[in-house]
Amino acid sequence: MWGGRFAAGPSAIMREINASIPFDKALWGQDIAASKAHVAMLGAAGIVSAEDAAAIAAGLDQVAAEYAANGVPEDWDLEDIHMTTESRLAELIGPVAGRLHTARSRNDQVATDFRLWVRDCLDQTDAGLHALQVALVTRADEHAASIMPGFTHLQTAQPVTLGHHLLAYYEMIRRDRSRLADARVRMNECPLGAAALAGTGFPIDRDATAAALGFDRPTANSLDSVSDRDFALDFLMAAAQISLHLSRLAEEFIIWASQPFGFVVLPDSLSTGSSIMPQKKNPDAAELVRGHSGRIVGALTSLMITMKGLPLAYSKDMQDDKPPVFEAASLLALSIAAMTGMVAEARFREDRMRAAAELGYATATDLADWLVRQADIPFRQAHHITGSAVRLAESRGIALDRLPLADLQAIDPRIDDRVFAALSVEASVAARASHGGTAPGQVKLRVADARLALGWAPGLEG
């Protein structure tokens, strides 16, 4: 490829450090699609003859069929997927293959291919997250009234419903999907035709190639077109945030599946055993999701550092843009699938969750609220009275609603026997009926909202 300028070929070291075919072969489908759009435009514009354009398009179809059947060959002398494809095309149709590269450069070629790949990845990720949301909403509906302890600082705080807890993750994923949608809008501009960095003197039709590849428009600046990797960073930023949410959900399942909690029985299909302890059922899938989040965040950091000091336009550093994106995309897809299966197939132990909700004086706030509503006591004073009641119950090792009325009245005589109706965990969750609260009725309303937003209903595919 460099014979006109260099008297000698590259050294073995240069050959190895320069080759990207081991990883950028993943772009072969996008490379074929972009090349076909480009040659169709060249033919329509009269830059190459109709006969040559047809021969090139047919040859590209044959190359694509070979790749699909046998994979992409790795010849490091050809460096990358672009030269690998062009070389094979030349073997199939002869010198006319050389006309394909008219009015383009590998710089705009790879920028286009990579955008197409990331765009496909955004769509696939969004579809995976939709499936996870369907699983979360399905289980939330099933457990709209299943009581469990709500935590702050991992200490029992107030009773909540499992449905409410699961819908919290639905909301996280909803925001994640909005990030993917935003990223897709920003990146859907076509760099093809920017050539090496300055555009081209050929009378090309960039609107035609952009439309053929499903882009909204061509990019507006040729320098930016070939040097921009914001679209890859946008994906990685969204992937990092998604992975953090998945990691939090995975951590909850890990905790809930532990024997001291026992809130959930994980599916066998997403668990492993121990080589020495036959009783073990380890939450390895959830732990790997938690671990993958670190690698995905690392991929984001890697590309950010690669791009941070690059002058315009293209620099060879940018060859290292694809491995972190490919790795993050693969890990993220696995993580989404694992947590979707975990949510859908786990068996929740409502008895253990409810028993735990009755521990730790979780209805203490309900006593304070009752004092405010029924005795017209300022909340700060009610908080102090309730704290005294909790201290007394704790000293006796009993639940708050097991304290005799006389003992409660000794703390404050304004307490009467109506208070006990407010101190059960059922009453506690039922009382939290404000918009977005944990009351079963509110959970059912949010489930209905979610189904509408997802375009999904029970008995239909999500």
Side-chain angles (χ1 to χ4, degrees):
M1 180 169 51
W2 316 116
R5 171 64 177 85
F6 290 81
S11 69
I13 293 174
M14 186 62 204
R15 176 176 170 273
E16 184 168 349
I17 198 173
N18 197 45
S20 59
I21 188 63
F23 54 83
D24 71 14
K25 64 184 180 182
L27 300 175
W28 74 262
Q30 291 77 19
D31 195 61
I32 295 287
S35 291
K36 290 186 68 175
H38 182 66
V39 77
M41 180 275 296
L42 293 177
I47 298 170
V48 302
S49 69
E51 294 77 13
D52 286 349
I56 291 170
L60 288 169
D61 286 337
Q62 185 172 344
V63 174
E66 292 176 359
Y67 289 170
N70 305 313
V72 179
E74 291 187 23
D75 182 343
W76 287 19
D77 287 329
L78 295 173
E79 295 187 12
D80 56 31
I81 184 59
H82 320 299
M83 296 309 301
T84 297
T85 297
E86 187 173 325
S87 175
R88 179 56 182 152
L89 183 65
E91 291 173 354
L92 292 172
I93 67 172
V96 71
R99 298 190 184 280
L100 173 60
H101 211 54
T102 306
R104 77 173 183 185
S105 162
R106 284 192 298 175
N107 292 354
D108 64 335
Q109 191 177 358
V110 68
T112 303
D113 294 355
F114 198 19
R115 279 189 190 234
L116 289 170
W117 192 95
V118 171
R119 190 177 69 185
D120 290 344
C121 186
L122 288 170
D123 293 343
Q124 293 159 11
T125 302
D126 185 69
L129 292 179
H130 181 277
L132 175 55
Q133 285 183 305
V134 168
L136 288 164
V137 171
T138 300
R139 302 311 301 273
D141 188 29
E142 180 185 342
H143 291 285
S146 300
I147 295 172
M148 67 176 293
F151 299 96
T152 61
H153 310 277
L154 208 56
Q155 303 292 312
T156 299
Q158 294 176 323
V160 297
T161 55
L162 175 60
H164 188 58
H165 195 116
L166 293 174
L167 286 179
Y169 286 96
Y170 167 85
E171 291 296 327
M172 295 181 207
I173 302 304
R174 180 182 61 81
R175 294 192 296 272
D176 290 332
R177 293 184 67 194
S178 75
R179 293 184 187 95
L180 295 176
D182 290 346
R184 198 187 194 286
V185 170
R186 276 192 299 276
M187 63 88 66
N188 206 36
E189 298 180 347
C190 184
L192 195 59
L197 75 163
T200 178
F202 290 94
I204 62 173
D205 184 350
R206 293 192 62 204
D207 288 303
T209 48
L213 294 169
F215 288 106
D216 295 329
R217 64 191 67 84
T219 51
N221 182 283
S222 60
L223 282 168
D224 179 57
S225 300
V226 300
S227 62
D228 169 47
R229 292 299 182 269
D230 288 1
F231 63 92
L233 287 168
D234 275 353
F235 166 69
L236 288 176
M237 288 177 190
Q241 184 65 73
I242 295 166
S243 74
L244 297 183
H245 289 153
L246 296 176
S247 181
R248 294 181 74 178
L249 180 58
E251 173 70 1
E252 302 242 50
F253 273 91
I254 292 164
I255 292 172
W256 293 348
S258 65
Q259 280 77 13
F261 278 76
F263 290 0
V264 66
V265 178
L266 299 181
D268 289 351
S269 59
L270 292 168
S271 305
T272 66
S274 166
S275 64
I276 189 173
M277 295 170 285
Q279 84 281 9
K280 294 292 293 299
K281 185 176 183 179
N282 298 327
D284 282 9
E287 290 173 349
L288 287 167
V289 169
R290 188 176 60 184
H292 287 170
S293 65
R295 293 171 64 187
I296 293 170
V297 171
L300 169 61
T301 303
S302 172
L303 185 53
M304 291 177 73
I305 297 303
T306 295
M307 297 300 299
K308 71 174 182 61
L310 297 185
L312 297 180
Y314 181 83
S315 296
K316 195 68 171 181
D317 313 44
M318 293 167 68
Q319 182 168 287
D320 285 336
D321 57 358
K322 287 168 281 297
V325 173
F326 292 165
E327 180 185 28
S330 176
L331 292 172
L332 185 62
L334 276 173
S335 296
I336 293 170
M339 293 317 300
T340 300
M342 194 84 65
V343 171
E345 299 173 27
R347 178 169 61 86
F348 293 100
R349 299 184 60 187
E350 297 175 62
D351 57 335
R352 290 292 296 264
M353 291 190 296
R354 191 190 186 287
E358 293 181 327
L359 302 175
Y361 309 101
T363 59
T365 307
D366 297 278
L367 173 55
D369 288 348
W370 185 91
L371 290 166
V372 171
R373 287 194 303 266
Q374 302 299 327
D376 195 26
I377 298 173
F379 183 80
R380 283 299 166 206
Q381 185 180 350
H383 186 284
H384 182 79
I385 294 167
T386 301
S388 297
V390 169
R391 184 170 64 250
L392 178 61
E394 189 175 41
S395 70
R396 297 182 181 178
I398 59 175
L400 197 58
D401 61 352
R402 298 293 187 268
L403 282 174
L405 178 60
D407 289 340
L408 288 171
Q409 290 177 329
I411 295 171
D412 192 286
R414 290 168 289 189
I415 299 174
D416 61 47
D417 60 2
R418 293 176 299 166
V419 73
F420 293 107
L423 294 183
S424 71
V425 290
E426 288 82 6
S428 178
V429 298
R432 265 66 185 182
S434 57
H435 181 86
T438 193
Q442 277 295 314
V443 173
K444 288 289 190 179
L445 287 173
R446 301 290 77 78
V447 164
D449 290 344
R451 283 182 172 148
L452 185 63
L454 294 171
W456 167 78
L460 300 178
E461 289 297 322

